[in-house]
Amino acid sequence: MRMHRDTSLLLIVDLQVGLLPVLATGEQAVEEASWMGGVAEALGVPVWLTEQYPEGLGESVPSLLASLENPRVWRKTHFNAHAEPDFADALADTGRRQIVLCGAEAHICVLQTGLALLEAGYRVAWLTEAASSRRPAEASLARQRVERAGAQAVSADMVAYEWLERCDDARFKDIHRRFLKERASRPLCFD
């Protein structure tokens, strides 16, 4: 599955203040989700965030919210975001069938959402460096499971360059200057 910006949606699951301190690669997940969100917005790809029981886990991490211009935020009680009727209906209404998925915890809410999206006929791309759990092994197991179900593991660079498609227009030059160039030397954990 090749990624296309006109059929994609970035879904960032539960990167919330109450979870961040216990996530093994939480800071990286927030930074990478923020980066991917910036690229998405620059290319007209919708960015959606979910918040699991924000009364207990807090709202989305402020730096993530500050990095995005116009994310749609969904509050949820189901671990699987697609089980929330308003969410599922709104997603179907977008007509976007490729979901770039990341967030926390990878082995709970991200996995259950990814599996449900696959069952509903969406194509899911698991954004590896922005999916985190308390224990890295559980995040790895979640990725393996969702891949066996039909998702594809991807990196943010893969998605960005596939969304861009070419290097000879003003859009590429702007995104290269604002996002791609500075990320090229950043060390990342892909697990």
Side-chain angles (χ1 to χ4, degrees):
M1 163 183 73
R2 228 169 15 103
M3 305 301 302
H4 301 279
R5 66 179 173 262
D6 57 341
T7 60
S8 292
L9 182 142
L10 174 62
L11 178 55
I12 303 169
V13 175
D14 304 350
L15 287 178
Q16 294 166 251
V17 294
L19 282 175
L20 188 60
V22 300
L23 297 174
T25 55
E27 294 294 337
Q28 175 181 292
V30 170
E31 187 172 358
E32 293 305 300
S34 298
W35 185 89
M36 190 83 265
V39 172
E41 287 183 333
L43 292 172
V45 174
V47 179
W48 287 13
L49 282 68
T50 66
E51 295 176 346
Q52 178 73 32
Y53 185 63
E55 298 83 358
L57 294 174
E59 295 184 350
S60 296
V61 175
S63 63
L64 174 62
L65 289 172
S67 72
L68 301 170
E69 293 178 19
N70 193 29
R72 185 159 184 187
V73 180
W74 296 89
R75 293 182 171 215
K76 64 185 184 68
T77 56
H78 290 88
F79 300 123
N80 158 23
H82 198 257
E84 302 286 345
D86 291 345
F87 178 96
D89 291 344
L91 182 58
D93 288 347
T94 68
R96 294 184 178 257
R97 304 300 297 171
Q98 291 183 325
I99 310 300
V100 179
L101 181 64
C102 63
E105 283 195 66
H107 68 291
I108 304 171
C109 294
V110 185
L111 174 64
Q112 289 186 35
T113 299
L115 293 172
L117 290 168
L118 289 165
E119 289 169 1
Y122 292 92
R123 290 171 287 158
V124 175
W126 182 274
L127 192 58
T128 304
E129 67 271 37
S132 184
S133 290
R134 295 164 199 253
R135 291 175 286 278
E138 283 185 311
S140 181
L141 284 171
R143 188 184 84 209
Q144 292 169 30
R145 186 169 169 202
V146 78
E147 283 182 292
R148 282 192 303 272
Q152 292 184 348
V154 297
S155 72
D157 264 10
M158 290 177 189
V159 175
Y161 280 95
E162 287 174 40
W163 281 348
L164 282 163
E165 296 184 74
R166 55 191 305 150
C167 67
D168 60 347
D169 64 14
R171 192 176 352 212
F172 173 81
K173 291 173 181 153
D174 174 59
I175 289 173
H176 184 267
R177 179 184 52 77
R178 290 173 46 207
F179 298 102
L180 298 169
K181 190 173 182 179
E182 61 89 14
R183 185 176 189 270
S185 62
R186 190 160 64 222
L188 296 168
C189 175
F190 295 90
D191 197 12

